[in-house]
Amino acid sequence: PQEDPARWPHLRAAGAAEAADKLAAEAGAGRMRDVDLARIERAWQSVRSGRHPLDTFTRAVLSDGAAACLHPSGARDLTTRTARHDLRTGQVRLGKAADDQRNPYAYRGTGLALGPELLGTSFLAVGPSGSGKTGSVIRPLAEALCLGALAGRAAVVVVGAAGVGLGPAENYDVVIRIGHPDSEYDFDLYGGTSDPDEAATVLAEALVGDLADPHPGGDSRRSATVLAQLLGPYRAVHGRFPSVPELRALLDGAPGPFEELRKALDEAGDEPMLRELDARERQSGASGDPGSLLADRVALLDRPAFAGFFDTTGQTQPFSLRALDHPVRVRIDLPERGHADASRILARLVLAQFTASAAHREDRSLFACLILDDAARTITPEAVRGIQRLRSANAGTVLTLRTLDEVAPPLRTALLGAAGCRMALSGVTPWDGQQFAEVWGKEWIEARDVTDRQIVADEPLTKVSHFVRKVITGKAPTAQSVTVRQVERERWSASELAHAVPPGHAVLSLTTVRGEHAPPLLVDLRG
């Protein structure tokens, strides 16, 4: 009895017997849910680590019981659940390993679940439309991370096209519908930073990262310099960054905004910013200047549909990904219909801001995750490097693609290498299958070769018996020869991935943040 988990023995051992009695009574009366248990355990870990005093925890439990230490939203559960969750381990069940001879015997028929220790290595799923990426993978993972946020364990940002089924709005604290006039929240174009160089780097990655060369000195770095030459002087004069129309005018080289900035900087005597502005004016219009390209890309965001978004004047409170220090649940709906290019820019912007914010958090005890449904044309060299840095920052990404052709050829191998968990769904093309076959490598197996050879007799009596046998059976007497040898073959070949994965199934390999890994398994996502 002294070790019964329902009596909270670890609280009693630490001197919180009254809180343990209260929680035991709540559990016995059926007033405690799985989210309550996970949330209170998380709060107790904060007490043990010294971040919160024991007295505060005890008072909260005695006052509120199972509802103690609530999430800021006040919610104790999601409105709906479509998957099976285990909040003790933080896992969500996606299916089961198929009872197939291509799976190692120990894994056949076992359940498959994913948790933060796996998502921390980042997750990549590739499959055509209708293969189950959103319904079988993205939505269960989004649910699990939203439950983790309610328990104070995680912060999640879910990005996808409007109406693709990422869960009801009630499951999220912040729902940003970019381009929708009824959206309650706005998005911070500059990621909440006050540093012009940092803002320019992230914004350049979003605007032209898909066009940059995969090596230092490409367009992305030059574009970041151009943007910094404008953002710094503008912020020095106005105390804020420019709005989208103002930034477009500056990049176009309109004389009015430049003269206003120069006059204000002259009056303030800000020589460093004057030098930045002079350098921009000298380079504007020169051969190879990326300013015109940046202006064209910013023009995609300077549309009437986005007139009420990306406000920098202080009239609204745009959401910033610097809020990942808190257990926040965010859903961002992209305007895919009619604004596909703008959606790709915004997707790259969210990915760049997430990798920058998650890697530089002060409190990394929360698991931060970005779920990007349809990452086509969002993978850049800097994005791959950012994903690789997330593993040590207690963060990860979940990305889906219809095909690897949506990623630039030099980045496909790097992306597969950066993701510790890789999934190839039913219906992938043979050339996509070849990429997965290479990254999953080969294994040694025992091959048995059986050959039949004709028996040649030397003795007369044996020759007669063989002749009679051939007359009766119509076949010459033969003997089997068995050869056993070790050979190396692909774990899953490109042809098998393209043609032997049944509908509703996928081949999945897993890696934990500690380096433990499982071989590629054929998984039934409907089980």
Side-chain angles (χ1 to χ4, degrees), residues 49 98 116 151 188 216 367 387:
S49 64
D188 193 337
F367 176 71
I387 291 172

Side-chain angles (χ1 to χ4, degrees), residues 386-415:
I387 291 172
Q388 292 171 335
R389 290 193 295 266
L390 294 178
R391 185 178 301 196
S392 60
N394 194 25
T397 58
V398 178
L399 309 174
T400 67
L401 293 168
R402 294 184 185 90
T403 171
L404 289 174
D405 289 342
E406 296 173 333
V407 180
L411 298 175
R412 294 170 191 171
T413 302
L415 176 62

Side-chain angles (χ1 to χ4, degrees), residues 511-523:
T511 305
T512 70
V513 292
R514 296 183 300 273
E516 301 167 341
H517 59 87
L521 305 171
L522 179 62
V523 176

Side-chain angles (χ1 to χ4, degrees), residues 83-145:
R84 293 178 57 188
H85 301 273
D86 181 0
L87 293 184
R88 290 286 290 180
T89 61
Q91 293 182 334
V92 56
R93 183 185 177 100
L94 297 186
K96 65 178 181 179
D99 188 4
D100 188 276
Q101 63 179 359
R102 286 167 293 195
N103 284 342
Y105 181 78
Y107 291 97
R108 297 177 189 174
T110 60
L112 170 76
L114 299 183
E117 72 283 353
L118 292 166
L119 298 181
T121 63
S122 292
F123 185 97
L124 174 66
V126 179
S129 299
S131 59
K133 297 188 300 297
T134 301
S136 301
V137 179
I138 295 297
R139 182 161 182 176
L141 290 177
E143 270 188 19
L145 290 166

Side-chain angles (χ1 to χ4, degrees), residues 14-82:
E18 294 182 356
D21 290 337
K22 178 69 173 180
L23 294 174
E26 292 280 282
R31 292 190 292 268
M32 182 175 290
R33 311 178 186 184
D34 56 352
V35 178
D36 298 328
L37 175 61
R39 187 185 65 252
I40 293 173
E41 287 283 8
R42 166 70 180 178
W44 178 248
Q45 291 175 5
S46 299
V47 172
R48 295 299 302 271
S49 64
R51 289 195 297 269
H52 296 93
L54 176 61
D55 293 343
T56 302
F57 172 81
T58 302
R59 285 196 300 270
V61 170
L62 293 178
S63 173
D64 302 325
C69 311
L70 274 181
H71 184 266
S73 67
R76 295 174 61 183
D77 204 348
L78 300 181
T79 55
T80 58
R81 297 192 191 188
T82 60

Side-chain angles (χ1 to χ4, degrees), residues 485-510:
R485 55 194 175 92
Q486 294 287 328
V487 297
E488 193 178 24
R489 73 164 190 183
E490 293 176 322
R491 297 177 184 270
W492 279 83
S493 68
S495 178
E496 288 177 324
L497 289 171
H499 305 295
V501 179
H505 290 64
V507 180
L508 170 66
S509 65
L510 302 172

